[in-house]
Amino acid sequence: MHRALQLAALGPATGPNPRVGCVLLDPQGRTGAEGHHRGAGTPHAEAAALADLAARGGSAAGWTAVVTLEPCTHTGRTGPCAQALVAAGVHRVVIADTDPNPTAAGGAQLLRAAGVDVETGVLAQRARSLNERWATAVGRGRPWVTWKFAATLDGRSAAADGTSRWITSAPARADVHRLRAEHDAVLVGTGTALADDPALTVRRPDGTDATGPQPLRVVAGLRELPADARLRDGRAELLHLRTRDPHRVLTTLAEREVRTVLLEGGPALAAAFARAGLVDEVVAYLAPALLGAGPAAVADLGVSGIAGALRLDLAPGEDAVARLGDDVRLTARPRARPAGERDPDPSHPPVVEEAARVHRDR
């Protein structure tokens, strides 16, 4: 299973599907074939491993499949993996984690009904961590939202005159592009789009676009974007959602199978998502500088007293606090609401109040 998890991690961190790895063991317990999922439309891990074995001239009859996620029962771009394992004659399947997707779940039950010996829960937590964002998005029916911002130690995203180039150091700015590459979509409001004219692409330190797929560029708001805006340059797909409602934004993105969203700006948009309870993780890049005045990193959260503060806990893992040049990156997650406290009512969502800002690191 450790090897299957290594294989799973080779798969893309973005896209509508989870990262899955599979190892096929012969009756003597020796590895005979391996496979992992390489992205939407490609064979799933189990099918890839079976194809690897077939290419070697082998048969999986009487073999054991070790897989990091419950084999699917769904026919989509590819066929159901549980059926493929049964058809191949696999006699035992060891599964790390169950599938939270109701459309694809039920593989373990199908395998058992076919007479296959099934064991679940082997290194389940490691497998769950590998697909945490995907599983959360599937379970909630809306994308995982990471809110990223850069600020001075006194919480300013720009100076009083609107300038912000550069608040953070080159290592921190490079890390933002790594973060973008880990998300399906990057989201800003029309205020930021008009004020900054951002590109919102994943770029190398020299400014050229990185290889590989670019995230979907999403703008939320009612105002029109200029014809010559950089967001219209064709370097990546642009989606303009003419709404200020965070719930409607995420519903539309979920319909497009977007699993992860990087919320980059501006402070009004961030506040709307935070007040709606739609932020899953906060990544803050803090520069050792003081401005004393200028736009804040986030707008009004509706907090009137310290008791109402939106509290966060550092994310699990050793890199929750990291030094990047002279800056510090903090990764934190909102605390679970106390028992009995209701989630924000989606029928009365906060909306984004349009506000221009300047944040040239786009």
Side-chain angles (χ1 to χ4, degrees):
M1 188 63 79
H2 282 288
R3 175 56 183 163
L5 286 164
Q6 290 177 342
L7 293 167
L10 298 176
T14 58
N17 297 331
R19 291 186 282 182
V20 184
C22 178
V23 176
L24 294 178
L25 304 177
D26 69 15
Q28 287 72 45
R30 298 170 301 197
T31 297
E34 299 179 337
H36 70 278
H37 185 50
R38 300 176 184 271
T42 66
H44 289 188
E46 300 92 327
L50 290 172
D52 178 35
L53 182 60
R56 299 168 186 261
S59 167
W63 285 39
T64 295
V66 180
V67 61
T68 59
L69 187 68
E70 181 181 14
C72 70
T73 58
H74 173 62
T75 299
R77 298 180 180 92
T78 59
C81 294
Q83 291 282 15
L85 292 172
V86 171
V90 170
H91 92 106
R92 184 166 184 256
V93 177
V94 181
I95 300 168
D97 197 18
T98 54
D99 194 332
N101 186 350
T103 303
Q109 181 179 354
L110 186 152
L111 289 164
R112 290 190 177 103
V116 178
D117 180 25
V118 178
E119 180 180 354
T120 61
V122 177
L123 298 182
Q125 189 55 53
R126 278 196 55 187
R128 198 165 297 132
S129 297
L130 186 68
N131 287 309
E132 180 186 20
R133 293 175 178 177
W134 173 85
T136 301
V138 168
R140 292 179 179 172
R142 56 96 173 156
W144 169 285
V145 176
T146 303
W147 169 32
K148 163 263 170 185
F149 68 88
T152 59
L153 290 182
D154 53 349
R156 307 293 177 176
S157 62
D161 64 358
T163 58
S164 63
R165 186 170 183 156
W166 302 102
I167 283 180
T168 54
S169 63
R173 297 195 300 274
D175 194 67
V176 170
H177 289 276
R178 173 200 61 81
L179 191 63
R180 281 183 188 169
E182 294 177 352
H183 288 76
D184 296 322
V186 180
L187 172 63
V188 299
T190 50
T192 295
L194 293 171
D196 292 5
D197 189 25
L200 300 183
T201 56
V202 179
R203 300 188 295 277
R204 303 183 184 90
D206 63 3
T208 59
D209 287 342
T211 57
Q214 290 286 345
L216 174 68
R217 300 183 288 189
V218 184
V219 178
L222 305 180
R223 288 184 284 177
E224 189 58 67
L225 300 179
D228 61 349
R230 286 205 293 171
L231 287 169
R232 297 187 183 276
D233 59 16
R235 293 156 65 189
E237 184 181 358
L238 169 65
L239 177 63
H240 187 176
L241 299 178
R242 299 177 188 278
T243 179
R244 299 176 182 175
D245 180 350
H247 290 279
R248 288 183 60 189
V249 169
L250 294 186
T251 296
T252 301
L253 293 178
E255 292 171 351
R256 295 174 61 103
E257 293 190 306
V258 170
R259 304 299 191 202
T260 53
V261 174
L262 181 61
L263 173 59
E264 288 211 28
L269 186 67
F273 272 76
R275 292 182 67 173
L278 297 175
V279 172
D280 299 298
E281 190 165 76
V282 178
V283 180
Y285 295 88
L286 302 178
L290 300 170
L291 286 171
V298 65
D300 182 17
L301 290 174
V303 176
S304 58
I306 193 67
L310 176 61
R311 299 286 183 178
L312 301 96
D313 296 312
L314 288 178
E318 297 180 355
D319 61 347
V321 180
R323 179 169 178 170
L324 302 169
D326 287 332
D327 303 323
V328 174
R329 183 192 67 215
L330 292 177
T331 305
R333 299 178 178 181
R335 289 181 184 172
R337 294 181 179 84
E341 184 176 328
R342 295 190 303 174
D343 286 342
D345 183 358
S347 65
H348 295 86
V351 296
V352 180
E353 296 299 332
E354 298 282 2
R357 69 188 294 260
V358 174
H359 191 319
R360 299 297 181 189
D361 183 15
R362 299 292 181 189

